[in-house]
């Protein structure tokens, strides 16, 4: 019936005996692993001891997972979690019956805030460099990580796009649907790939890396602008907010975009923090 539509019905993941490696979890592993190698090349270029990279990896992983989880709880689902506090950091659901759910429900805005805070702590405790200097470099692997996280969302058939009302799109059969939607996760993933390539090029091939805060600001502007516009073709994550002029993700993106322009064009004489 839908000549150009693709029916998407993947399994949950790889069966490894008694354990299932979910595709979403695998994409996280790929994102963090690739990020480590990207930062290793950057630290090598900057003459920073690789030993300091291990601490950066730990700070980033914890900040991403904790920040993303709290972001989802606070920004999207506090009405539920205020009465189920244990479920915030436990991979289970207690009602209506006990169920092992895994860690579902992660918000990228929360992850962004978590990483910024973590880099401040990392600077204070490990690497004596300006926070913005660190962020200028960390955003490169963060952009690459976003590519795979959105692919993981696609495997999970979550954060779905709106119906295309045409023969084009993806039919998410795992949701029990028979009509095509925009593969918004893949649109976003492709845009993050372009952002990663641009940041990588500017760092390695230009002198933009010498302007403290510029790459970080550019990352904020590009990534959250992409997020802002793609939200127009996504289904609302909170059904009660579907009638808002802008959805939650868009309202949360605006401050990041404004901050990005500030860091890109702030006076050069201003001291980096």
């Amino acid at each position: 019936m839908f000549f150009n539509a693709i029916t998407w019905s993947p399994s949950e993941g790889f069966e490894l005996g008694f354990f299932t490696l979910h595709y979403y979890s695998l994409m996280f592993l790929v994102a963090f692993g690739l990020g480590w190698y990207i930062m290793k090349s950057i630290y090598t270029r900057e003459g920073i001891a690789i030993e300091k990279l291990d601490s950066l990896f730990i700070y980033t992983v914890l900040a991403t997972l904790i920040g993303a989880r709290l972001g989802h709880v606070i920004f999207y689902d506090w009405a539920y979690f205020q009465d189920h506090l244990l479920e915030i950091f436990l991979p289970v659901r207690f009602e209506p019956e006990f169920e092992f759910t895994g860690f579902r429900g992660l918000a990228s805005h929360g992850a962004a805030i978590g990483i910024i805070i973590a880099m401040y702590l990392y600077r204070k405790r490990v690497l004596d460099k300006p926070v913005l200097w660190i962020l200028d470099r960390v955003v490169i692997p963060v952009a690459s990580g976003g590519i795979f996280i959105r692919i993981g969302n696609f495997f999970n058939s979550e954060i779905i796009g709106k119906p295309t009302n045409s023969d084009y799109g993806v039919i998410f059969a795992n949701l029990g649907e028979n009509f095509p939607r925009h593969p918004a996760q893949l649109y976003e993933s492709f845009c993050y790939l372009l952002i990663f390539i641009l940041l990588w090029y500017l760092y390695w091939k230009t002198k933009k890396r010498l302007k403290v805060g510029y790459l970080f600001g550019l990352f904020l502007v590009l990534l959250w602008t992409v997020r802002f516009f793609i939200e127009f073709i996504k289904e609302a994550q909170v059904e009660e907010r579907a009638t808002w002029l802008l959805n939650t993700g868009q309202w949360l993106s605006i401050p990041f975009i404004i901050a990005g322009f500030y860091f890109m064009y702030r006076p050069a004489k201003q001291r980096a923090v």
Side-chain angles (χ1 to χ4, degrees):
M1 181 177 180
F2 302 109
F3 181 74
N4 294 320
I6 298 173
T7 299
W8 183 243
S9 181
S11 63
E12 290 186 356
F14 299 103
E15 294 291 341
L16 304 174
F18 65 92
F19 175 74
T20 300
L21 178 59
H22 293 270
Y23 292 118
Y24 187 60
S25 299
L26 179 61
M27 291 299 101
F28 260 93
L29 292 175
V30 172
F32 286 127
L34 178 60
W36 189 89
Y37 280 102
I38 292 173
M39 283 305 298
K40 180 182 178 182
S41 66
I42 291 174
Y43 271 30
T44 299
R45 181 187 195 186
E46 303 287 357
I48 297 175
I50 299 301
E51 291 77 15
K52 297 183 182 294
L53 183 57
D54 294 334
S55 297
L56 178 66
F57 181 80
I58 294 172
Y59 273 78
T60 305
V61 170
L62 292 177
T64 300
L65 297 179
I66 295 174
R69 184 59 174 167
L70 289 177
H72 173 79
V73 170
I74 296 170
F75 299 141
Y76 292 98
D77 210 4
W78 179 243
Y80 173 82
F81 282 103
Q82 64 180 338
D83 298 319
H84 303 84
L85 296 178
L86 285 179
E87 294 180 17
I88 294 177
F89 290 113
L90 293 178
V92 299
R93 181 182 291 271
F94 292 104
E95 297 178 359
E97 61 184 18
F98 183 84
E99 177 188 3
F100 181 82
T101 61
F103 287 107
R104 297 179 181 179
L106 302 173
S108 54
H109 293 90
I113 295 171
I115 290 173
I116 293 171
I117 294 173
M119 293 308 99
Y120 173 78
L121 297 175
Y122 175 73
R123 179 255 181 184
K124 295 283 287 186
R125 300 176 180 178
V126 181
L127 185 62
D128 187 20
K129 290 282 189 179
V131 174
L132 289 177
W133 186 96
I134 299 172
L135 288 169
D136 280 337
R137 287 143 183 84
V138 165
V139 294
I140 300 175
V142 168
S144 73
I147 300 168
F148 298 99
I149 301 308
R150 283 297 178 249
I151 293 175
N153 294 138
F154 184 66
F155 272 107
N156 275 3
S157 299
E158 60 188 4
I159 313 181
I160 55 176
K162 294 179 179 179
T164 61
N165 299 316
S166 71
D167 292 346
Y168 162 78
V170 174
I171 301 172
F172 291 96
N174 285 354
L175 301 179
E177 299 180 346
N178 63 354
F179 57 89
R181 294 179 177 273
H182 285 286
Q185 313 96 321
L186 299 185
Y187 297 163
E188 207 166 337
S189 179
F190 178 71
C191 290
Y192 292 165
L193 172 62
L194 297 180
I195 294 171
F196 165 71
I197 292 172
L198 177 60
L199 293 173
W200 179 266
Y201 174 81
L202 291 176
Y203 174 78
W204 285 97
K205 300 298 183 179
T206 74
K207 294 184 179 181
K208 290 296 186 182
R209 71 183 187 281
L210 302 179
K211 183 179 180 181
V212 178
Y214 182 86
L215 293 179
F216 173 57
L218 180 62
F219 166 84
L220 293 180
V221 171
L222 293 179
L223 185 133
W224 299 113
T225 297
V226 164
R227 177 68 183 272
F228 182 90
F229 284 105
I230 288 184
E231 287 293 323
F232 282 114
I233 58 171
K234 284 184 185 178
E235 291 286 8
Q237 291 181 254
V238 181
E239 187 175 348
E240 295 77 8
R241 305 174 188 175
T243 58
W244 287 12
L245 176 63
L246 299 175
N247 66 30
T248 306
Q250 291 171 314
W251 284 115
L252 291 172
S253 295
I254 292 173
F256 283 102
I257 296 171
I258 295 173
F261 279 117
Y262 167 76
F263 287 120
M264 288 177 68
Y265 298 111
R266 69 196 184 114
K269 64 180 181 180
Q270 190 167 338
R271 181 178 178 272
V273 296

